[in-house]
Amino acid sequence: MKKDKFFSIMVLLTCIMLHIKLDAQVSDATIKAIEQSSLENPDRSKELAGSLDMSALNNQQKIRVLFALTNSSNVTGELDKTLEYGGKTMVLAKKEKDTLTQIKLYGILGSLYQSINLNEKTKNYLDEAEKLMTAYRFPDALMYIKGNVYYLKGMNYAHTLDCEMAIRYFSRSIDIYRKNPSKMSAVNLKMAYLNKGFCEIELGQTTNAAQTLELAQPDYNGAADANSYPKFFAERQKLFVKFGHAKIDAKKEQYGISNALLLDLLNEEQRRNTNFTRTEVLKQLAENYYHLGRYEESDRYEKMYFAEADPENRKQDDLLNYLISENKKISEASIKKMATKEILMLALIGILGGLFILYLIRKALGYRHQYQKLKKDLFNSQSIKNQ
């Protein structure tokens, strides 16, 4: 009897252990599916994540799911959700000392803040990522992550008009992408070449820029094989390379040649029903026509530029308002639990956030002021020539 009872207990324990093991396997398979679809099919990724019981997962599994949700939200442009999931992932990643996830998160959050021109906040996140990278040994298969951080730092310096530093970081990312070829690295390599080329244009290095832009050209022939670039990326990249060459012509004061490329770009975008370069093309056309002394056409394209740029600025304003609102909620919820020293620290963070917003507003207003000053200076120099 005792033997039968012992045998029954052992069978029961075996069944329980088997059940736990099967559950773990199912959960892991689901998590892998969530991760794999986070970039290619973000809606499916979110749907699968919603079917999980998060309380049944360990911290490492939670990190994987939350990071996938951060990626999915970033892809679908839900910046508020990106911040929400990114914040939750970061808390767990720090708790578990998951350095790689922290590096990837700092990159995503840095890119997000860069998209709304909060360049100082972007720099802080990317500096944190770079600091962690110095003590982390990347396996070859993940070296592209290091390249991504350098690429984003290059973009940050480009946004703050420090093109010399930007080129250094783009070059570092290019070295990594070239030494660690993969489908993802191939796309990022072309992006790094493109933005390096634009920085060289800003510095007046037109010969270097033309060569770099040719390296940015995707080798895409419409094939759908596994090694080809995504069609969407290839088409977009070709338009930006063409725009880069138009900027080179403008830098050389060959405004007629530049305008021919720019007008062709507008027609091409209209045929494709895309809007990748349109705003920047309108801005360049306004400047080119002014240099040519064709002021009515310059004013027409300037008005079109501001009309199309304003909605983008409003999107940035909406996100900024969301960030302010979320910070306020966090502050109100935390004040009841915080000591005086912590409250002062929160106030300091609020002040710094306000400074970032003021900086953004000043930058937005500054372009209009600079453009009007340029027009005035050009008009005065044109008058002197005519005299």
Side-chain angles (χ1 to χ4, degrees):
M1 183 74 179
K2 287 183 179 179
K3 186 177 179 181
D4 289 343
K5 187 175 180 182
F6 175 76
F7 180 74
S8 298
I9 292 170
M10 288 302 295
V11 169
L12 180 61
L13 285 172
T14 302
C15 289
I16 290 170
M17 291 303 294
L18 181 62
H19 179 68
I20 290 170
K21 187 176 179 183
L22 287 172
D23 277 354
Q25 288 175 340
V26 171
S27 294
D28 195 58
T30 306
I31 291 169
K32 282 182 181 176
I34 291 167
E35 290 172 325
Q36 289 168 358
S37 58
S38 64
L39 297 178
E40 295 179 1
N41 190 351
D43 290 332
R44 176 61 178 158
S45 181
K46 292 174 190 175
E47 182 184 334
L48 288 170
S51 69
L52 286 178
D53 177 9
M54 292 293 284
S55 64
L57 304 179
N58 61 42
N59 280 350
Q60 281 298 331
Q61 291 174 319
K62 286 177 183 176
I63 287 170
R64 290 170 62 192
V65 172
L66 287 168
F67 183 76
L69 286 169
T70 304
N71 265 333
S72 299
S73 301
N74 199 31
V75 170
T76 54
E78 297 172 276
L79 302 184
D80 53 341
K81 289 292 183 184
T82 306
L83 287 171
E84 179 188 338
Y85 291 128
K88 289 178 180 178
T89 314
M90 186 66 81
V91 169
L92 279 175
K94 286 183 176 180
K95 182 179 178 181
E96 294 294 308
K97 297 182 180 177
D98 185 342
T99 305
L100 181 61
T101 298
Q102 289 179 61
I103 292 169
K104 291 192 286 187
L105 276 169
Y106 280 129
I108 290 172
L109 294 173
S111 178
L112 186 151
Y113 280 106
Q114 189 165 275
S115 71
I116 55 172
N117 291 319
L118 291 180
N119 296 310
E120 196 59 36
K121 202 165 184 70
T122 299
K123 183 178 183 299
N124 292 340
Y125 277 123
L126 297 179
D127 284 348
E128 286 297 321
E130 191 172 12
K131 195 186 303 179
L132 287 173
M133 288 193 313
T134 59
Y136 185 79
R137 188 177 181 83
F138 285 87
D140 290 344
L142 297 178
M143 280 296 287
Y144 73 90
I145 295 170
K146 191 173 184 179
N148 290 351
V149 171
Y150 288 144
Y151 169 75
L152 287 169
K153 285 210 76 169
M155 289 299 292
N156 183 235
Y157 280 111
H159 275 261
T160 55
L161 303 180
D162 187 348
C163 271
E164 289 185 356
M165 281 297 293
I167 287 171
R168 290 183 198 175
Y169 275 101
F170 287 138
S171 296
R172 290 170 77 176
S173 70
I174 287 167
D175 286 343
I176 290 172
Y177 293 145
R178 289 179 64 186
K179 290 174 184 174
N180 298 270
S182 68
K183 189 170 182 178
M184 181 63 74
S185 293
V187 169
N188 292 343
L189 174 65
K190 296 297 181 180
M191 291 292 291
Y193 274 129
L194 179 73
N195 288 288
K196 181 183 178 184
F198 275 102
C199 271
E200 288 168 338
I201 294 169
E202 289 300 315
L203 293 174
Q205 300 171 4
T206 53
T207 302
N208 288 347
Q211 294 170 352
T212 304
L213 287 177
E214 284 311 302
L215 293 170
Q217 196 75 261
D219 310 315
Y220 180 78
N221 57 7
D225 60 274
N227 296 318
S228 67
Y229 302 106
K231 184 179 178 182
F232 174 83
F233 163 76
E235 291 178 349
R236 176 185 177 276
Q237 186 80 348
K238 285 180 179 180
L239 293 173
F240 275 107
V241 168
K242 192 171 184 177
F243 176 60
H245 283 295
K247 284 184 74 69
I248 289 173
D249 290 327
K251 203 76 174 179
K252 293 179 177 178
E253 299 185 5
Q254 296 174 342
Y255 301 114
I257 298 173
S258 177
N259 282 350
L261 283 173
L262 294 170
L263 292 169
D264 189 48
L265 265 174
L266 284 183
N267 291 331
E268 194 171 347
E269 294 250 37
Q270 190 172 1
R271 284 197 308 272
R272 294 171 182 268
N273 194 28
T274 55
N275 227 7
F276 303 131
T277 63
R278 183 175 169 82
T279 307
E280 288 301 310
V281 166
L282 293 173
K283 177 182 170 185
Q284 190 65 54
L285 280 167
E287 293 178 7
N288 285 359
Y289 277 118
Y290 198 88
H291 283 290
L292 289 168
R294 295 164 64 174
Y295 304 122
E296 287 185 8
E297 286 164 288
S298 174
D299 286 341
R300 179 162 65 90
Y301 283 112
E302 182 187 1
K303 286 173 184 173
M304 289 170 68
Y305 164 72
F306 281 119
E308 299 202 12
D310 282 347
E312 292 302 316
N313 291 336
R314 281 198 292 274
K315 286 181 187 176
Q316 292 186 359
D317 290 343
D318 289 343
L319 182 56
L320 281 169
N321 289 333
Y322 168 80
L323 293 174
I324 294 167
S325 171
E326 287 302 298
N327 284 334
K328 187 178 178 182
K329 287 178 189 174
I330 293 168
S331 301
E332 289 172 350
S334 302
I335 282 172
K336 296 176 183 177
K337 303 176 184 178
M338 293 170 67
T340 306
K341 185 177 178 181
E342 292 171 319
I343 294 171
L344 289 173
M345 182 58 71
L346 185 65
L348 178 60
I349 292 169
I351 291 167
L352 291 174
L355 289 175
F356 288 137
I357 295 164
L358 286 173
Y359 168 76
L360 180 65
I361 293 168
R362 286 183 63 189
K363 185 172 180 181
L365 295 174
Y367 170 73
R368 194 181 289 267
H369 173 73
Q370 288 170 7
Y371 190 72
Q372 294 300 332
K373 185 176 182 298
L374 170 67
K375 291 177 73 172
K376 184 178 178 182
D377 291 344
L378 286 170
F379 179 77
N380 290 337
S381 63
Q382 191 72 29
S383 299
I384 291 169
K385 286 181 182 178
N386 292 338
Q387 289 174 3

